[in-house]
Amino acid sequence: MDERYDEKNQGTWANNEQMPDILKDGNILAKESEKKEHAEILGKWLWILFWLIIPSAIAGILGNENLFGKESGVYIFGTILSMVVGILYGVILMPMKEVEEKYRMAGIFSILAAVLSMALEVVQVENPLMVLVIGLPTLILGLVAKYYEFHSHAAVLRDFDLEFSQKWLTLWKWYCVVIAGMIVSALVVLISFLLAALLILVFAIGTFVIAIVQLVYLYKMAKLFRQYA
């Protein structure tokens, strides 16, 4: 008999070539059905995530104390909106854990970062050392959240578009570079205020560019999965 059953693997054939065509077709159909199911879940939530970036950007502008001042109603509204959007962002990431478990961690850390960021605003610590002590955990939580989010996006894309998957991993590396640059800029202020201001400007632009790229990637992902489903 040409076809040989592999008892050691409990129900699998020794190799794909020896598997009967009817089983091959069944496996292909099952895999395709699972991909469509995953695409439907991802397309739905990623589309919402994409639109949530817009109020997030608005909140970032309104919550800029250099533009409006901490005592203004616009600043207070922007700060509250930023926290609400940050929490919603984390909540929306959570249902996608059905496809990729890392989305759960991305959601949890996003929520924690948003809450701690709000706590920092409420306390309004003026001492630079205390700002560092409270602000550093917020930065770390945000960084971890982005790690899990970007790597989750890369993971779910592997079976659909490998090249696109790699782009998320590259974006994560650039995100780390920008965050490291912002930290270095804050330390350089002790040496040269002018140099620090220049570096902060450069990396602030980098942050903006990454945010735009992330927005574009989310749109393309949502569109890809919605079309596939």
Side-chain angles (χ1 to χ4, degrees), residues 13 51 134 157 177:
W13 292 84
W51 285 107
I134 299 176
L157 277 167
V177 169

Side-chain angles (χ1 to χ4, degrees), residues 13-21 23-24 27:
W13 292 84
N15 58 60
N16 192 53
E17 291 181 358
Q18 293 174 346
M19 184 183 294
D21 290 341
L23 292 183
K24 290 180 185 178
N27 286 342

Side-chain angles (χ1 to χ4, degrees), residues 2-222:
D2 294 331
E3 295 164 350
R4 180 165 55 87
Y5 187 72
D6 187 358
E7 295 181 358
K8 182 180 179 182
N9 291 323
Q10 297 182 346
T12 60
W13 292 84
N15 58 60
N16 192 53
E17 291 181 358
Q18 293 174 346
M19 184 183 294
D21 290 341
I22 189 171
L23 292 183
K24 290 180 185 178
D25 293 342
N27 286 342
I28 292 172
L29 288 173
K31 186 179 177 68
E32 185 66 19
S33 177
E34 183 182 44
K35 285 180 69 175
K36 284 185 177 294
E37 183 181 342
H38 288 174
E40 185 176 356
I41 295 171
L42 294 167
K44 172 186 175 181
W45 293 109
L46 286 169
W47 190 247
I48 298 174
L49 211 61
F50 164 74
W51 285 107
L52 198 60
I53 296 289
I54 296 174
S56 176
I58 294 173
I61 296 172
L62 298 180
N64 190 318
E65 62 179 286
N66 295 321
L67 292 176
F68 301 101
K70 282 192 173 184
E71 302 301 323
S72 70
V74 174
Y75 172 81
I76 295 173
F77 174 76
T79 303
I80 295 174
L81 179 62
S82 180
M83 184 196 70
V84 172
V85 170
I87 292 175
L88 280 176
Y89 197 93
V91 170
I92 291 170
L93 284 167
M94 300 285 275
M96 292 189 287
K97 69 182 184 297
E98 296 179 37
V99 180
E100 171 56 51
E101 184 60 30
K102 288 189 181 74
Y103 276 120
R104 183 202 299 271
M105 299 305 295
I108 291 172
F109 281 105
S110 293
I111 293 170
L112 290 175
V115 172
L116 195 57
S117 178
M118 184 60 182
L120 184 61
E121 290 293 335
V122 171
V123 173
Q124 290 187 347
V125 179
E126 297 296 337
N127 188 309
L129 181 60
M130 288 304 297
V131 170
L132 181 63
V133 170
I134 299 176
L136 189 58
T138 306
L139 179 65
I140 293 173
L141 285 173
L143 193 63
V144 173
K146 287 301 179 187
Y147 167 82
Y148 279 112
E149 181 189 348
F150 287 14
H151 280 73
S152 295
H153 294 330
V156 299
L157 277 167
R158 285 193 193 110
D159 290 336
F160 296 86
D161 190 330
L162 186 58
E163 184 180 353
F164 196 0
S165 172
Q166 292 300 315
K167 287 182 179 180
W168 277 108
L169 299 180
T170 301
L171 188 63
W172 161 249
K173 293 175 183 178
W174 280 110
Y175 183 82
C176 289
V177 169
V178 168
I179 293 299
M182 294 294 284
I183 295 173
V184 170
S185 300
L187 297 175
V188 170
V189 73
L190 300 174
I191 303 172
S192 170
F193 179 80
L194 183 61
L195 178 59
L198 181 61
L199 288 174
I200 290 173
L201 177 61
V202 170
F203 289 111
I205 294 173
T207 303
F208 177 75
V209 171
I210 288 175
I212 294 298
V213 173
Q214 182 183 353
L215 185 64
V216 172
Y217 283 2
L218 282 175
Y219 174 78
K220 287 184 176 180
M221 271 187 77

